[in-house]
Amino acid sequence: MSRTVIAAVDGSAESLAAADWAAHEARMRRLPLHLLHVWQDWSRAFAHAPFTGLDTTPCEGATAPPHYAEQVTHDALDRLRAAHPGLEITVEQVHGRPAGVLLSAAEKAEVLVVGSRGLGGLAGFLTGSVSLPVIAHAERPVVAVRAGERAECEPLPGTGDHGDRKGQCLDVVLGLDLSRPCDKLLAYAFEAAAARAATLRVVHGWSVPVVEGYDPAAADPGHGVALGLREASALTDVLRSWRGKFPQVEVKEQCLVGRPAGHLVEASKAASLMVVGRRIRRAAVGAHIGPVTHAVLHHSTAPVAVVPHR
């Protein structure tokens, strides 16, 4: 199942939004789409399953009867085939613990797409008891999509999947930490922008280091300006080779003073996709996704792609 976009579906509005997004992604990347539904008998799960840190309560992606699993995938398949004629779509129902099944599937996927619960009246979304652990432990990119997400850009009628779509997509926004500018993260962001014919906006947030309670920028504003120029130059250096690999992608660099999470959440308001990284950790339990990625996942108003890296 390599080179496949996988969408986790469970019949909820969130999973349908994820499936819709995944179908658009599969079309843009010229890849097949695989719909995966995981069902679980919770009456047995609570009695026999040990705690692993992945699944603790009934949650999205988990239903009991097999016939319901068939109905969920059948309905999603009909809907997507009507909306995306010609797209190769396969379906699968698997019995097991949802997070574990999805993590296994993610190993063989180009990208795994999951739904995410909303925060009611607040902007953004809150990842659920399955999607958050999957994001925290997967070693392939995972995209979180919430219900009501604005529509992805689509190819113009008659132009095919790679027609002239320049200007139709909002920016792809990449949050980049210059202390560890990972190739996997950069490659995913550039490929996503290229597939959408969208501008890639690279956001790097930085702060003037405070030494022993002393803020040198406050005493000498020129010091902060010099540091800003250095950070901007470093960002340009990191992106130079990637501009050469993707000459068709317009790149905008933003080197901003302040906490990266705040800048990225603000940038999500005008983004078609947010791309952030997560360092791979081998801890058996817990959600280790980092404070910036965690904040973006909870408050972004655009879908969020989390790219794991070492």
Side-chain angles (χ1 to χ4, degrees):
M1 199 181 296
S2 60
R3 297 287 293 170
T4 302
V5 176
I6 298 179
V9 295
D10 63 7
S12 67
E14 293 82 9
S15 78
L16 291 177
D20 286 339
W21 190 95
H24 284 292
E25 187 73 2
R27 283 188 64 192
M28 286 188 291
R29 291 179 178 264
R30 296 182 180 274
L31 296 174
L33 172 64
H34 186 71
L35 303 179
L36 176 60
H37 177 82
V38 186
W39 65 278
Q40 179 172 2
D41 185 347
W42 282 102
S43 63
R44 296 182 179 181
F46 282 127
H48 302 292
F51 175 73
T52 65
L54 289 178
D55 302 303
T56 58
T57 59
C59 50
E60 71 275 19
T63 53
H67 67 270
Y68 179 78
E70 294 180 3
Q71 188 65 46
V72 164
T73 53
H74 183 272
D75 290 348
L77 180 61
D78 285 349
R79 169 178 171 160
L80 293 177
R81 279 182 172 167
H84 302 276
L87 176 64
E88 180 184 345
I89 308 175
T90 56
V91 299
E92 183 181 12
Q93 300 97 31
V94 178
H95 178 268
R97 305 195 75 184
V101 172
L102 293 178
L103 283 171
S104 178
E107 295 176 1
K108 300 170 283 186
E110 183 74 7
V111 61
L112 172 68
V113 187
V114 296
S116 213
R117 293 199 304 266
L119 282 175
L122 296 178
F125 54 78
L126 177 66
T127 51
S129 51
V130 167
S131 53
L132 185 60
V134 169
I135 290 168
H137 293 274
E139 297 195 5
R140 294 291 298 163
V142 179
V143 177
V145 180
R146 65 186 177 100
E149 204 69 73
R150 56 177 169 265
E152 269 281 4
C153 49
E154 296 188 69
L156 288 170
T159 62
D161 288 336
H162 289 270
D164 181 13
R165 290 175 278 137
K166 197 66 175 178
Q168 288 201 9
C169 282
L170 296 174
D171 294 353
V172 172
V173 176
L174 167 63
L176 189 62
D177 180 357
L178 291 183
S179 67
R180 49 176 74 96
C182 172
D183 284 349
K184 286 186 177 180
L185 181 62
L186 286 158
Y188 186 94
F190 271 89
E191 289 169 2
R196 290 162 175 75
T199 296
L200 176 61
R201 182 151 43 113
V202 184
V203 177
H204 167 58
W206 66 281
S207 299
V208 177
V210 177
V211 182
E212 296 181 357
Y214 170 70
D215 183 356
D220 179 12
H223 180 75
V225 172
L227 287 178
L229 292 173
R230 187 180 70 183
E231 293 289 327
S233 177
L235 179 59
T236 298
D237 290 343
V238 167
L239 296 175
R240 183 173 291 111
S241 65
W242 290 95
R243 287 177 184 267
K245 295 175 184 177
F246 293 86
Q248 76 277 31
V249 175
E250 179 184 357
V251 181
K252 294 182 179 178
E253 302 175 18
Q254 288 189 303
C255 200
L256 304 173
V257 178
R259 294 183 177 180
H263 292 307
L264 292 173
V265 170
E266 180 65 25
S268 74
K269 297 176 182 178
S272 63
L273 177 67
M274 301 295 298
V275 182
V276 291
R278 177 188 68 79
R279 293 192 69 189
I280 295 175
R281 294 178 171 86
R282 295 297 183 183
V285 297
H288 304 283
I289 59 176
V292 174
T293 295
H294 192 273
V296 173
L297 278 167
H298 278 68
H299 299 292
S300 171
T301 57
V304 179
V306 180
V307 182
H309 61 86
R310 301 188 186 281

